[in-house]
Amino acid sequence: MGRFPQGRHSSAQFDDELNSIHSHLLEMGRLAMQQVQRATTALTTGDLTLASRVLFDEAQVDRLEKIIDEECALVLARRQPAAGDLRMLIAASKGVADLERVGDEAAKLASMAEDNVRSGTSVAPYTMLHQLSVPVLALLERSLEALSRFDLQLAVEVTVDRRYRDVLGELLAKWPKVADRGAMIDLIWALRSLERVGDHARNLSEQAIFCISGKDIRHLSRDQLMDLLPGVSVP
Amino acid sequence: MNMANSQPGSMMTNTLGKAASQQMSREVTVSAQDVKVYYGDTQAIKGINLDIYRNEVIAFIGPSGCGKSTFLRVLNRMNDTIDGCRVEGKVTLDGEDIYDKSLDVVLLRARVGMVFQKPNPFPKSIFENIAYGPRLHGLASSKTDLEGIVESSLKRAGLWNEVKDRLDQPGTGLSGGQQQRLCIARTIAVSPEMILMDEPCSALDPIATAKVEELISELSREYTIAIVTHSMQQAARVSHRTAYFHLGDLIEVNATDKVFTQPEHELTEAYITGRFG
């Protein structure tokens, strides 16, 4: 696991504890990302096995959430962290909630895929999900990368990246004719789930920015963001 | 490497910080200008500029040998008692140069009292421990006056209810925490403007420490307090501003909540997160 930008503590055990939280957070992020990827594929191809696998693996995401929460609580109790260490724990505590919800969205998509296969619903209308899942998953991946490398510039780029919302708008503008009203509602829910994953990825980047710079950029406009983070290029 | 003096509250980032800021006035009590201290040929303080504001609690933190205790002792000329110690620069108390040759050092130390690491009550009764200073400085015109000062000092130090029925017993018979509060009561009995505390809780257990910390918070309504502490949690709990010292330099002085969440200097960050060394 990567070293923290501030360097090592006098206590190697403290380093190990923080590294473990960081490592588990990234593991949870990669797992949540994989869950969304698999759930989308299951939904667009009608792969029942893959859908079942996603639902089975949801427990792994939840397990990591509990582990990280417990590790954060122990470090707070034992070490009384300050400055960058404290910000890292706060970011991890909040980031873990976003990732758990990403896992939930994946589970929703997987359940939908199972239902569709069992009810014999056509997968054809669902193929459009790929157009949204690609930018959303790319955003989540870059967000995890920013968190992994403590990369402020990348985190800012992710935070202001709303391309997935543009894609969603385009998809809704050229909405396909779906005869089955139930399938149409499911499709809207599926798109909504992917949109939420994109929102969580951006939240995660906001936490990365807080962790790295100490700046709370939530609810700020682009101009306010530029004022708060001079020296960082805001696309 | 000296940082400019940050105004209290100027960098406050949360509600608690703002409340602390409002509580403090901006009136300068002590101003240190380009203060340098030498022990023989060794320079312990390398030209520090710092204003301390009325009714603020300012914590001095830093690794051993960084100069924080030396700087604290500059503020009431306790370094005068150390052979070979030389102080350069200017230190004013309410605008008055405390290193002026005409200044009465005994009076200065009444105006700027000090509480030490180890409780050091006089080998006298509890009453006499408190009464000694006011009597020396002629602050009481009668026995009733003196009794009033003793009672009020012990009350302000949160000790009155614990000792009011045994004022004639030796101060040294009290517990460590009570002795330290007795020393604080002794300090405030002579109506100081400022209280210097040099690791006042390092010899105390957690309960006694909590009582002294509570007392510091109470006392800051009436006095300006500078505290040297090795406990970063204590600095975070009790002070409005924190000053970080390193090898005789003042690296950073800022609102305490800012220092402990977003320190500006990497040396401060390294120290408070336990990465120093």
Side-chain angles (χ1 to χ4, degrees):
Chain A
M1 177 42 44
R3 295 264 302 277
F4 287 90
Q6 303 95 328
R8 290 184 181 281
H9 290 89
S10 302
S11 162
Q13 204 175 3
F14 192 1
D15 279 333
D16 292 344
E17 289 166 5
L18 287 181
N19 280 332
S20 177
I21 291 169
H22 190 224
S23 175
H24 280 136
L25 189 66
L26 296 176
E27 184 186 343
M28 186 179 176
R30 283 191 292 269
L31 184 57
M33 195 170 81
Q34 186 183 64
Q35 290 282 88
V36 175
Q37 208 162 20
R38 285 178 169 169
T40 310
T41 305
L43 198 52
T44 54
T45 61
D47 186 335
L48 189 59
T49 310
L50 200 56
S52 302
R53 175 82 187 270
V54 170
L55 291 171
F56 181 79
D57 285 346
E58 197 199 354
Q60 292 297 321
V61 180
D62 295 345
R63 184 184 65 88
L64 282 165
E65 180 196 17
K66 284 185 171 183
I67 288 173
I68 295 165
D69 279 348
E70 192 177 330
E71 286 180 322
C72 287
L74 282 175
V75 170
L76 285 168
R78 284 177 183 155
R79 309 286 178 186
Q80 293 87 44
D85 297 336
L86 179 62
R87 297 199 305 268
M88 190 272 183
L89 289 182
I90 292 170
S93 287
K94 291 191 171 184
V96 90
D98 276 303
L99 290 174
E100 193 272 335
R101 284 175 197 158
V102 169
D104 285 349
E105 298 299 343
K108 276 186 209 167
L109 295 174
S111 291
M112 207 180 284
E114 273 194 347
D115 290 347
N116 284 351
V117 173
R118 285 181 181 138
S119 64
T121 305
S122 165
V123 295
Y126 289 91
T127 52
M128 70 188 302
L129 290 178
H130 275 309
Q131 292 174 62
L132 186 58
S133 71
V134 170
V136 161
L137 287 168
L139 202 65
L140 185 54
E141 187 172 21
R142 289 164 69 217
S143 185
L144 292 169
E145 182 68 15
L147 204 56
S148 168
R149 293 194 279 119
F150 298 99
D151 187 332
L152 183 60
Q153 179 63 49
L154 182 57
V156 169
E157 287 169 13
V158 171
T159 303
V160 298
D161 189 342
R162 293 170 190 232
R163 274 175 293 182
Y164 69 100
R165 292 202 160 210
D166 296 339
V167 171
L168 180 61
E170 287 163 17
L171 288 173
L172 292 175
K174 49 181 182 182
W175 191 248
K177 284 185 183 172
V178 182
D180 181 345
R181 284 190 179 182
M184 186 177 74
I185 291 168
D186 277 353
L187 186 55
I188 290 171
W189 277 117
L191 288 168
R192 171 78 179 144
S193 278
L194 288 174
E195 182 197 19
R196 290 296 300 143
V197 171
D199 294 343
H200 288 306
R202 286 174 51 216
N203 290 349
L204 203 61
S205 274
E206 288 177 351
Q207 293 308 321
I209 291 168
F210 174 70
C211 173
I212 299 160
S213 69
K215 308 293 184 194
D216 185 353
I217 65 144
R218 291 174 301 170
H219 316 301
L220 295 185
S221 67
R222 187 176 173 279
D223 287 347
Q224 288 171 320
L225 184 59
M226 288 168 76
D227 288 343
L228 197 64
L229 295 168
V232 175
S233 164
V234 182
Chain B
M1 230 190 309
N2 284 322
M3 299 282 295
N5 283 305
S6 296
Q7 299 291 311
S10 63
M11 299 294 285
M12 292 291 185
T13 53
N14 64 24
T15 313
L16 183 68
K18 281 173 188 159
S21 162
Q22 283 159 5
Q23 188 189 324
M24 284 185 285
S25 79
R26 296 288 180 92
E27 188 185 342
V28 173
T29 298
V30 167
S31 180
Q33 296 148 41
D34 197 26
V35 169
K36 296 170 183 157
V37 180
Y38 300 85
Y39 294 117
D41 295 333
T42 307
Q43 187 170 8
I45 300 281
K46 298 175 182 170
I48 282 178
N49 294 289
L50 179 67
D51 285 346
I52 299 175
Y53 301 94
R54 191 166 305 288
N55 297 113
E56 80 164 320
V57 180
I58 185 166
F60 298 163
I61 62 168
S64 297
C66 67
K68 56 190 186 297
S69 290
T70 296
F71 183 71
L72 189 79
R73 289 196 298 265
V74 163
L75 305 181
N76 72 344
R77 291 184 57 176
M78 285 298 284
N79 288 324
D80 289 9
T81 61
I82 299 171
D83 283 344
C85 182
R86 192 171 88 250
V87 178
E88 292 178 3
K90 189 173 181 184
V91 181
T92 60
L93 174 63
D94 297 332
E96 189 181 357
D97 185 352
I98 68 166
Y99 281 84
D100 190 289
K101 282 177 185 160
S102 64
L103 188 116
D104 183 336
V105 177
V106 175
L107 278 180
L108 170 70
R109 290 180 191 149
R111 289 171 68 192
V112 184
M114 191 153 194
V115 177
F116 296 87
Q117 184 174 0
K118 194 176 168 195
N120 57 350
F122 302 140
K124 292 174 180 289
S125 70
I126 293 168
F127 183 93
E128 281 304 318
N129 261 277
I130 309 298
Y132 183 84
R135 198 182 281 130
L136 179 73
H137 292 288
L139 297 179
S141 56
S142 64
K143 186 168 178 286
T144 312
D145 261 3
L146 194 58
E147 286 170 351
I149 290 172
V150 169
E151 181 174 338
S152 111
S153 301
L154 286 169
K155 277 182 175 168
R156 279 186 287 168
L159 196 57
W160 175 251
N161 287 336
E162 294 165 56
V163 301
K164 64 184 177 190
D165 298 325
R166 46 176 173 150
L167 293 175
D168 56 342
Q169 290 181 16
T172 49
L174 297 171
S175 72
Q178 287 173 325
Q179 284 187 28
Q180 195 63 304
R181 281 183 284 144
L182 180 66
C183 293
I184 292 171
R186 187 177 68 190
T187 303
I188 60 183
V190 291
S191 303
E193 291 169 55
M194 184 170 188
I195 303 171
L196 310 178
M197 297 184 169
D198 194 355
E199 297 184 54
C201 301
S202 63
L204 306 184
D205 67 38
I207 302 292
T209 296
K211 285 185 180 173
V212 171
E213 288 181 0
E214 183 71 17
L215 183 55
I216 290 170
S217 173
E218 294 285 325
L219 293 175
S220 71
R221 292 178 190 162
E222 293 180 68
Y223 309 102
T224 304
I225 297 172
I227 176 171
V228 164
T229 177
H230 273 294
S231 163
M232 261 135 351
Q233 286 72 44
Q234 181 168 71
R237 285 192 295 263
V238 305
S239 69
H240 303 121
R241 282 195 304 158
T242 296
Y244 174 63
F245 290 73
H246 185 86
L247 296 175
D249 281 308
L250 177 57
I251 301 297
E252 178 170 353
V253 56
N254 234 323
T256 294
D257 55 358
K258 167 88 176 159
V259 168
F260 284 94
T261 54
Q262 291 173 257
E264 288 183 352
H265 200 287
E266 59 185 22
L267 280 173
T268 315
E269 167 112 18
Y271 181 69
I272 65 169
T273 58
R275 288 182 170 89
F276 183 81

